[in-house]
C-alpha cells in the first residue's frame, strides 16, 4: 500500500512536470495552430540559460526566471515573426511543420557545438531535499513544479477569459478571418501568443533545470509528451492540458512499476490512442476547430 | 582520345610518385570521427595511434620505412564508407586504423574487406565488428562481451566474498538503456550471470533520454535487489543514482557498464559523496597499478609532451596499445602486402600484463584479440580508480559502507 501511494505520488509529480512543459505548447499549438517541433529545444535553451545564469551569477536557479522567461518570450516572438509568419500563407501549411523541424535540429546542433555533448548540471540548491508527507516522500523541487503548474494554468485561464487581449487571442483561435474583420491585428496576436507560449517554457526551464541534467537532446523526450498532453486535453484547452498531463504522468508511473519500464511507453501511447478513438476532440475539446479557421 | 591519354599520363605519374615514396615511407589510413558529436573521443583515440606511430618512427620505423598516417573523417556512416574508399583507392594505404565508434567501423570495414585491405579496429566495442567473420579485419580492444563477462566475474570473485555473501544468494537486477549498446551488454551480463549461477531477478530496458526512473527504482527496491547492473549514458546514470538515493534504495553494489559511469561530469552532477563506492567496468584507465601495465607512464609522458595535457580518457591508451602491437608485428615481416600482414598478425603472441593496457595480444576466432579484457573500476573520493583484478588495482575495492 505504501509503495502504491508512492507510485501514485511519483505519477502526480511527473504529471506536474509534463503540465508545466506543455502549457506553453497549448497556446502555440492550440491557438496559433502551428505544430512547433522546436518546443523541446526552447526548453533545452531555457535550461542552459538557467544553468549559465545560476552558475555564472551564483544565484538560486529560481531567480533566473526573471531573465529566462523574457528571453524565451523574445525567442518565441521572433520565431513567429520571421519564420512562421512568412509561411502562414504558403500554399501548403505543412511547410510550417518542416520549418519548425528544421529549427529544432538546428538549435539542437547549435547547442552541441556551443556546449558539447556532456551534461550540464544546474546546482540543485536544496531542491532535491526529500519532504516526507505521511507515508510518501517527494522532492521539494517537484512540489514547487506541481504548485506552479497549477498557478500557471489558473493564471493563463484567467488571462484568456477576462482580459481584452485574452479575448482577442480566443477570437483569433476561433476564426482568423472574422477576428480580422473585427479589427484585431491577427499577426500581432500570433506573435504575442507565440511569445507567451515560449515564456511559459522559460518559466518551466528554470524550475526543471535544477532537478534534471541538461544536454542538447534534453528537449526530445519532452516534446513528444507535450504534444500528447495537448491533444489529449483538447486543443487550446489549458485546463485540459493539465488534466491530460496528470493522466499521462500517472499511467507512466503505474505502468513503469506494475508492467515494466520497457512497456511504459506502450501503455502511455496505448491509452492515448484509446481516448482519441473514443473522443477524437480530446478530453476537454468541444469540437474540432479546424473547420472554422482556415 | 586525348582524355584517355591524359588519364594514362596521370596514372603513370601517380605510380612514379608512389614508387618514389615507397622507398622512404609506408602509408596507413587513420579513420576516426574527427568532427560531429563523436569528435571529442574520436580525436582522443587518434592521439593514441599517433603516439604509437611517433614512437615506432623514432625507433627506425617499420621495416626501415617511416610510417605516415593519412587521416579520414568518419563523421557519419556514409562518410566513413566514402573516406575508406578514398584511403584505399586514392591514397593506396597498406591498411586502415580506426575507428572508436562501432557503427562507423562496421560500415567502413566492409569497404576494406571488399578491397582486401587490412582494417585494424582499436576501439569499437560492438560484437558485430568481429562477429561478421571478416577476413581482413582485426580487433585489438576488448568488446561488449568482455564487459559483461568482467562484471559478472567481479561479482563472483570480489563483491560477494567482500560482503560475506554467497554469489548465488545475491539478488541481481539488470537495467539498461534500450539501444544496441545497452541491450548487447545486458544480454552478455544475463548469459554470463546465468552460467555463473547468479540469481538475476529482473532485466529491464528504458529509453536513455527518460526523465523519470522512480518506478524502476521502486520496482528494484521491492524486489530486494542487492546488486544493480546498469548500462547507460550520462543522463540516465545521473537520474538513476539520484532517484535511488531519494527513494532510499541502497543496494550492496551498483555496477555501471562504461558509458555515463566512466565520465567525470557524471560524478560531478551526481555529487562525489553520492557516487562514492559505485563500481564500473571499462577500458584500462590511468589510475591503475602500473606494474601490471608496463609502458603506461611512458605513454602518458609522450602524450603530455605532444598535446600539453593529461589524456582525457582511456581511449588513447587502448588505441596506442593496439596500434603498437600491430606495427611491431609488421616490423618483423617482409613487405606490406595484405597476405604478408595477415601472416605477421597471426604470429603475435603477447602475454597478459605485458602491454601498457595490461592485457595481452593474440588474435583468435574472427581475428578478435582473445587476450583483451576490461578492468573493474570504482569511484573513490571523486576519482575513478582501478580496483579489479587485484594485480591491476590502484586501490582496494571499498564495500559495505
Amino acid at each position: 500500500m505504501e509503495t502504491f501511494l508512492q507510485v501514485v505520488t511519483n505519477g502526480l509529480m511527473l504529471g506536474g512536470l509534463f503540465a508545466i512543459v506543455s502549457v506553453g505548447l497549448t497556446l502555440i499549438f492550440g491557438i496559433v495552430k502551428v505544430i512547433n517541433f522546436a518546443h523541446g529545444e526552447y526548453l533545452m535553451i531555457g535550461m542552459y540559460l538557467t544553468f549559465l545564469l545560476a552558475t555564472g551569477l551564483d544565484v538560486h536557479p529560481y531567480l533566473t526566471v526573471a531573465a529566462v522567461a523574457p528571453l524565451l518570450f523574445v525567442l518565441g516572438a521572433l520565431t513567429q515573426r520571421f519564420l512562421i509568419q512568412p509561411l502562414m500563407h504558403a500554399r501548403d501549411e505543412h511547410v510550417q511543420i518542416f520549418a519548425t523541424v528544421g529549427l529544432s535540429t538546428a538549435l539542437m546542433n547549435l547547442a552541441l557545438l556551443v556546449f558539447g555533448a556532456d551534461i550540464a548540471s544546474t546546482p540543485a540548491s536544496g531542491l532535491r531535499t526529500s519532504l516526507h508527507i505521511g507515508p510518501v516522500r517527494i522532492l521539494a523541487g517537484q512540489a514547487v513544479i506541481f504548485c506552479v503548474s497549477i498557478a500557471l494554468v489558473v493564471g493563463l485561464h484567467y488571462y484568456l477569459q477576462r482580459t481584452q487581449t485574452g479575448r482577442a487571442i480566443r477570437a483569433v483561435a476561433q476564426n482568423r478571418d472574422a477576428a480580422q474583420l473585427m479589427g484585431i491585428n491577427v499577426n500581432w496576436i500570433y506573435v504575442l501568443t507565440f511569445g507567451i507560449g515560449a515564456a511559459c517554457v522559460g518559466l518551466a526551464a528554470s524550475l526543471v533545470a535544477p532537478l534534471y541534467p541538461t544536454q542538447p537532446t534534453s528537449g526530445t523526450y519532452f516534446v513528444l509528451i507535450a504534444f500528447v498532453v495537448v491533444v489529449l486535453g483538447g486543443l487550446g484547452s489549458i485546463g485540459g492540458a493539465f488534466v491530460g498531463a496528470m493522466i499521462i504522468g500517472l499511467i507512466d508511473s503505474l505502468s513503469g512499476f506494475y508492467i515494466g519500464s520497457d512497456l511504459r511507453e506502450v501503455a502511455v501511447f496505448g491509452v492515448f490512442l484509446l481516448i482519441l478513438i473514443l473522443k477524437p476532440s480530446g478530453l476537454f475539446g468541444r469540437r474540432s476547430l479546424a473547420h472554422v479557421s482556415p | 582520345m586525348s582524355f584517355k591519354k591524359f588519364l594514362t599520363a596521370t596514372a603513370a605519374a601517380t605510380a612514379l610518385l608512389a614508387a618514389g615514396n615507397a622507398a622512404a615511407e609506408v602509408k596507413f589510413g587513420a579513420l576516426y570521427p574527427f568532427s560531429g558529436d563523436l569528435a571529442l573521443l574520436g580525436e582522443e583515440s587518434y592521439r593514441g595511434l599517433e603516439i604509437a606511430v611517433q614512437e615506432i618512427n623514432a625507433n627506425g620505423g617499420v621495416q626501415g620505412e617511416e610510417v605516415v598516417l593519412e587521416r579520414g573523417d568518419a563523421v557519419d556512416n556514409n562518410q566513413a564508407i566514402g573516406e575508406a574508399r578514398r584511403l584505399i583507392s586514392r591514397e593506396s594505404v597498406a591498411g586502415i586504423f580506426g575507428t572508436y565508434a562501432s557503427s562507423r567501423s562496421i560500415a567502413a570495414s566492409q569497404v576494406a574487406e571488399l578491397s582486401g585491405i587490412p582494417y585494424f579496429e582499436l576501439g569499437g566495442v560492438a560484437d558485430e565488428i568481429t562477429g561478421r567473420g571478416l577476413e581482413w579485419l582485426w580487433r585489438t580492444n576488448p568488446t561488449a562481451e568482455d564487459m559483461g563477462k568482467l562484471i559478472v566475474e567481479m561479482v563472483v570473485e570480489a563483491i560477494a566474498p567482500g560482503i560475506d555473501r554467497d554469489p548465488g544468494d545475491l539478488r541481481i537486477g539488470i537495467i539498461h538503456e534500450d539501444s544496441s549498446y545497452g541491450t548487447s551488454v545486458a544480454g552478455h551480463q544475463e548469459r554470463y550471470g546465468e552460467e555463473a549461477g547468479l540469481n538475476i531477478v529482473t532485466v529491464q530496458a528504458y529509453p536513455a533520454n527518460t526523465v523519470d526512473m522512480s518506478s524502476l527504482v521502486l520496482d528494484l527496491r521491492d524486489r530486494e535487489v542487492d546488486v544493480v547492473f546498469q548500462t547507460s549514458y550520462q543522463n540516465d546514470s545521473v537520474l538513476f543514482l539520484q532517484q535511488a538515493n531519494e527513494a532510499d534504495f541502497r543496494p550492496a553494489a551498483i555496477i555501471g557498464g562504461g558509458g555515463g559511469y566512466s565520465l567525470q561530469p557524471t560524478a560531478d552532477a551526481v555529487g562525489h559523496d553520492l557516487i562514492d563506492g559505485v563500481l564500473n567496468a571499462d577500458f584500462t584507465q590511468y589510475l591503475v597499478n602500473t606494474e601490471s601495465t608496463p609502458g603506461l607512464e611512458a605513454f602518458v609522458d609522450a602524450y603530455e609532451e605532444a598535446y600539453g595535457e593529461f589524456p582525457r580518457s582511456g581511449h588513447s591508451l587502448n588505441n596506442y596499445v593496439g596500434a603498437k602491437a600491430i606495427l611491431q608485428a609488421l616490423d618483423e615481416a617482409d613487405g606490406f602486402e595484405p597476405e604478408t600482414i595477415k601472416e605477421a598478425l597471426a604470429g603475435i603472441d603477447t602475454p597478459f600484463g605485458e602491454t601498457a593496457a595490461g592485457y595481452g595480444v593474440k588474435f583468435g576466432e574472427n581475428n578478435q584479440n582473445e587476450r583483451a579484457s576490461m578492468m573493474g573500476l570504482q569511484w573513490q573520493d571523486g576519482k575513478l580508480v582501478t580496483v579489479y583484478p587485484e594485480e591491476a588495482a590502484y586501490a582496494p575495492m571499498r564495500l559495505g559502507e
Side-chain angles (χ1 to χ4, degrees):
Chain A
M1 190 59 199
E2 199 178 296
T3 313
F4 175 75
L5 285 177
Q6 184 65 54
V7 173
V8 169
T9 312
N10 289 345
L12 291 174
M13 292 303 128
L14 198 56
L17 175 68
F18 292 160
I20 203 158
V21 174
S22 309
V23 166
L25 193 71
T26 324
L27 286 175
I28 296 171
F29 185 29
I31 291 175
V32 190
K33 305 250 170 48
V34 168
I35 302 184
N36 179 24
F37 276 106
H39 189 75
E41 278 59 52
Y42 287 179
L43 180 75
M44 179 265 293
I45 290 172
M47 287 169 76
Y48 272 116
L49 286 174
T50 306
F51 165 74
L52 291 176
L53 290 169
T55 51
L57 304 176
D58 203 18
V59 294
H60 193 281
Y62 284 178
L63 294 178
T64 65
V65 76
V68 176
L71 283 171
L72 264 286
F73 179 93
V74 172
L75 179 66
L78 288 176
T79 309
Q80 166 63 26
R81 177 62 191 86
F82 294 106
L83 185 70
I84 308 295
Q85 193 171 308
L87 297 175
M88 274 292 199
H89 304 289
R91 202 169 299 158
D92 191 333
E93 60 185 19
H94 297 115
V95 175
Q96 293 162 15
I97 302 181
F98 290 108
T100 65
V101 170
L103 182 65
S104 156
T105 311
L107 290 176
M108 207 188 303
N109 283 286
L110 189 67
L112 204 54
L113 195 72
V114 176
F115 300 102
D118 268 334
I119 51 173
S121 32
T122 312
S125 312
L127 297 170
R128 290 208 83 94
T129 325
S130 284
L131 307 174
H132 293 258
I133 301 174
V136 299
R137 55 174 92 203
I138 55 176
L139 296 181
Q142 286 180 322
V144 171
I145 289 181
F146 189 81
C147 296
V148 173
S149 68
I150 294 176
L152 186 64
V153 165
V154 173
L156 273 178
H157 185 78
Y158 179 84
Y159 176 73
L160 287 181
Q161 296 295 330
R162 298 292 167 83
T163 66
Q164 192 65 22
T165 325
R167 285 195 198 98
I169 291 175
R170 284 190 295 132
V172 172
Q174 281 167 17
N175 192 321
R176 193 200 295 175
D177 292 338
Q180 198 154 18
L181 288 173
M182 297 300 120
I184 297 173
N185 183 343
V186 172
N187 282 340
W188 161 243
I189 291 292
Y190 278 158
V191 170
L192 179 72
T193 314
F194 219 106
I196 297 175
C200 291
V201 182
L203 169 65
S206 296
L207 302 182
V208 170
L211 296 186
Y212 297 96
T214 306
Q215 52 187 355
T217 52
S218 286
T220 51
Y221 186 84
F222 283 105
V223 70
L224 186 62
I225 291 286
F227 274 110
V228 167
V229 161
V230 171
V231 172
L232 191 61
L235 284 187
S237 164
I238 293 177
F242 183 80
V243 176
M246 289 301 143
I247 292 176
I248 298 292
L250 281 173
I251 297 171
D252 193 311
S253 182
L254 289 167
S255 62
F257 184 77
Y258 290 103
I259 305 178
S261 66
D262 25 8
L263 289 177
R264 57 200 271 182
E265 289 190 330
V266 175
V268 166
F269 288 96
V271 172
F272 170 63
L273 291 176
L274 197 68
I275 293 180
L276 278 193
I277 290 168
L278 296 174
K279 201 161 182 315
S281 55
L283 290 173
F284 293 85
R286 275 180 220 102
R287 59 200 163 109
S288 168
L289 297 169
H291 65 280
V292 206
S293 192
Chain B
M1 193 63 184
S2 67
F3 182 65
K4 216 172 193 180
K5 250 184 196 165
F6 169 74
L7 270 189
T8 327
T10 319
T14 317
L16 269 175
L17 274 176
N21 281 342
E25 54 188 42
V26 54
K27 202 184 260 183
F28 285 93
L31 190 61
Y32 293 91
F34 288 111
S35 54
D37 53 347
L38 299 177
L40 177 67
L41 292 180
E43 175 75 30
E44 180 65 24
S45 302
Y46 171 74
R47 288 180 173 184
L49 167 64
E50 200 170 38
I51 287 178
V53 168
Q54 277 169 8
E55 194 182 308
I56 297 274
N57 283 341
N59 292 324
V62 173
Q63 300 171 29
E65 296 184 21
E66 190 190 352
V67 178
V68 176
L69 291 175
E70 176 67 32
R71 284 164 54 129
D73 186 0
V75 66
D76 57 31
N77 292 353
N78 282 332
Q79 202 178 325
I81 292 172
E83 289 285 80
R85 285 203 186 111
R86 178 179 70 83
L87 291 172
I88 292 168
S89 55
R90 278 193 35 213
E91 305 291 340
S92 312
V93 296
I96 297 176
F97 290 95
T99 328
Y100 163 60
S102 295
S103 57
R104 314 286 194 274
S105 172
I106 290 167
S109 57
Q110 210 79 41
V111 177
E113 180 77 7
L114 287 175
S115 318
I117 295 294
Y119 195 101
F120 314 114
E121 181 54 51
L122 312 176
V125 295
D127 300 326
E128 301 96 291
I129 293 178
T130 42
R132 298 165 297 167
L134 298 189
E135 189 187 354
W136 298 106
L137 177 130
W138 288 264
R139 172 157 61 179
T140 56
N141 62 287
T143 65
E145 182 168 357
D146 294 317
M147 181 180 276
K149 193 164 131 188
L150 181 101
I151 288 172
V152 167
E153 199 183 293
M154 193 152 63
V155 171
V156 175
E157 302 288 333
I159 297 171
I163 55 173
D164 281 328
R165 296 276 295 271
D166 186 62
D169 291 343
L170 289 172
R171 299 170 65 81
I172 314 277
I174 299 178
I175 59 173
H176 62 92
E177 61 86 29
D178 58 7
S179 80
S180 107
Y181 156 57
T183 313
S184 73
V185 174
H188 293 305
Q189 288 171 337
E190 209 178 340
R191 192 160 55 82
Y192 281 104
E194 273 163 12
E195 269 173 32
L198 295 184
N199 177 19
I200 297 168
V201 292
T202 184
V203 179
Q204 299 215 29
Y206 59 83
N209 60 356
T210 183
V211 293
D212 181 64
M213 296 183 74
S214 59
S215 333
L216 186 55
V217 167
L218 289 177
D219 185 37
L220 294 173
R221 198 182 72 180
D222 261 30
R223 290 176 196 264
E224 292 171 359
V225 164
D226 298 303
V227 179
V228 179
F229 297 170
Q230 186 184 18
T231 310
S232 48
Y233 293 109
Q234 267 187 302
N235 168 57
D236 43 336
S237 309
V238 174
L239 262 186
F240 175 74
L241 291 171
Q242 283 179 336
Q243 296 196 317
N245 176 55
E246 280 145 15
D248 217 10
F249 170 54
R250 307 199 189 285
I254 297 174
I255 311 177
Y261 277 92
S262 296
L263 299 167
Q264 191 66 39
T266 309
D268 299 342
V270 175
H272 291 180
D273 48 336
L274 192 54
I275 205 169
D276 209 60
V278 168
L279 294 148
N280 183 21
D282 206 337
F283 285 169
T284 310
Q285 311 278 323
Y286 300 97
L287 293 178
V288 60
N289 181 351
T290 44
E291 272 172 35
S292 68
T293 55
L296 183 128
E297 283 152 323
F299 167 76
V300 174
D301 289 344
Y303 187 107
E304 285 182 323
E305 199 186 327
Y307 305 109
E309 60 179 329
F310 193 80
R312 296 167 292 186
S313 79
H315 292 87
S316 47
L317 174 64
N318 281 269
N319 276 260
Y320 165 78
V321 166
K324 196 171 151 184
I326 286 166
L327 291 172
Q328 277 175 342
L330 294 187
D331 194 28
E332 310 283 316
D334 184 19
F336 296 98
E337 291 307 310
E339 286 293 344
T340 323
I341 292 179
K342 187 194 249 182
E343 221 168 276
L345 295 185
I348 300 182
D349 187 2
T350 313
F352 288 103
E354 292 199 5
T355 67
Y359 49 74
V361 185
K362 182 170 175 56
F363 293 108
E365 197 189 347
N366 288 333
N367 296 337
Q368 165 65 35
N369 176 11
E370 59 186 26
R371 287 185 190 153
S373 60
M374 299 235 171
M375 294 221 176
L377 311 158
Q378 187 172 37
W379 284 101
Q380 296 184 354
D381 311 315
K383 285 192 195 127
L384 191 59
V385 305
T386 310
V387 293
Y388 185 87
E390 222 165 272
E391 54 276 17
Y394 177 82
M397 192 184 286
R398 296 180 191 165
L399 290 166
E401 282 162 41

